[in-house]
Amino acid sequence: MTGHGEGLLVGVSALITGASSGIGAAAARVFCREGARVTLVARREPELAALAAELTQAGYEAQYVVADVSRSGDAARAVAAAVEAYGGLDAAFNNAGVPALPGLLHLTEDEVYDRVMDVNVRGVWNCMRAELAAMVESGGGSIVNNSSTAGLVATVAGAPYIASKHAVIGLTKAAAKEYAPHRVRVNALATGATRSEMLVDWMAGDPAREAAMADKAMLKRLAETEEIAEAALWLCTERSSYITGTTLAVDGGRLAN
Ligand SMILES: NC(=O)c1ccc[n+]([C@@H]2O[C@H](COP(=O)([O-])OP(=O)(O)OC[C@H]3O[C@@H](n4cnc5c(N)ncnc54)[C@H](O)[C@@H]3O)[C@@H](O)[C@H]2O)c1
């Protein structure tokens, strides 16, 4: 998995889920800039196709797979496409996720719980099962799971989302322990409020929401999607070779505030 040449991920086969927008799309551009060969995964074909075309026209190696990570067969198909096109899988950023609107637990429908857990937890489970199998086969790799500050503390994001992001950190620790002997590192990001499509939609409903979220961070602003992507990138490179099982806060100081 060691990159050579000028970039930090030259020749590395990397899979990114939720790549059709927001943090995942930013990660696709950042990983390519460092020389990775990327497999972009999400449900929305037009957005994925446009991003893959942008990247290949810029001279990078990129392909896309339309897949729903909550389906194990889809996740396996995406990983198989990466292995087939690029000779293996070295890195994965399991970033696909859905929000739940804030609301009291007893007023939240079962369907919301099911949808959020299916994508945010089962999606990471499905992807890691396929990714770890490929990485064990090829002798190692690095996985980064996108959790949230809501994976460590209760935020306004609603109980299903908070529970789902805590579970992502649990899965991360378990996999890190089990796969360390196989030379696979597994880490999570505690991502803070980030100016992605997910959040822009939510903030559009009330301009005061952005100011309130920004105020919680020591840096008094939201993250840009690239700032989260850079942290995921670093955890996928050999520069972070002694880091596994950890959750890296990329939150402008929110959790320490
Ligand atoms: N934006 C924030 O403030 C913030 C904060 C903490 C954590 N996060 C996490 O970051 C991740 C990325 O979110 P974002 O902010 O970029 O939002 P986004 O809505 O722009 O991106 C989410 C991506 O996941 C994809 N996706 C959703 N369900 C999927 C499924 N079943 N199968 C495949 N792809 C699916 C979407 O198509 C999209 O590409 C999520 O896991 C989110 O929970 C975001």
Side-chain angles (χ1 to χ4, degrees):
M1 226 207 62
T2 309
H4 51 84
E6 286 181 17
L8 290 171
L9 290 179
V10 172
V12 162
S13 169
L15 182 142
I16 299 167
T17 73
S20 62
S21 67
I23 295 165
R29 296 186 178 99
V30 167
F31 279 47
C32 280
R33 183 197 72 206
E34 297 297 333
R37 308 154 92 189
V38 297
T39 299
L40 311 177
V41 181
R43 290 167 308 174
R44 288 177 286 172
E45 177 148 32
E47 286 85 349
L48 278 180
L51 180 56
E54 172 200 313
L55 293 168
T56 50
Q57 278 159 25
Y60 300 123
E61 287 187 75
Q63 65 170 353
Y64 70 89
V65 178
V66 177
D68 180 339
V69 295
S70 67
R71 297 166 183 259
S72 60
D74 281 22
R77 186 164 50 76
V79 170
V83 172
E84 170 78 18
Y86 303 131
L89 183 70
D90 306 300
F93 182 29
N94 296 322
N95 161 75
V98 290
L101 289 178
L104 286 174
L105 190 154
H106 78 282
L107 300 176
T108 302
E109 303 289 343
D110 290 344
E111 289 70 26
V112 174
Y113 177 89
D114 289 342
R115 183 173 53 83
V116 169
M117 295 303 261
D118 260 5
V119 178
N120 296 4
V121 186
R122 188 179 292 278
V124 170
W125 168 260
N126 287 337
C127 289
M128 281 213 296
R129 288 193 75 207
E131 292 157 3
L132 287 163
M135 289 176 178
V136 167
E137 178 78 20
S138 64
S142 177
I143 294 175
V144 180
N145 295 321
N146 204 354
S147 178
S148 167
T149 49
L152 291 168
V153 298
T155 68
V156 295
Y161 186 82
I162 291 163
S164 76
K165 292 301 187 179
H166 274 70
V168 168
I169 291 175
L171 287 174
T172 300
K173 290 178 182 172
K177 187 171 170 69
E178 289 176 16
Y179 290 88
H182 297 280
R183 304 170 60 84
V184 180
R185 295 184 298 112
V186 188
N187 293 291
L189 298 180
T191 296
T194 305
R195 195 183 306 283
S196 68
E197 280 81 341
M198 183 188 283
L199 212 63
V200 167
D201 285 352
W202 186 65
M203 291 185 309
D206 179 0
R209 284 178 179 160
E210 172 164 357
M213 274 185 296
D215 193 52
K216 290 200 173 96
M218 290 180 183
L219 298 181
K220 300 296 176 202
R221 63 174 178 84
L222 305 190
E224 299 301 329
T225 54
E226 294 75 17
E227 295 179 296
I228 310 303
E230 292 286 353
L233 165 80
W234 180 71
L235 286 170
C236 286
T237 71
E238 289 296 319
R239 297 277 171 98
S240 59
S241 53
Y242 200 58
I243 299 181
T244 197
T246 202
T247 299
L248 176 64
V250 191
D251 68 347
R254 156 79 169 87
L255 290 172
N257 210 6

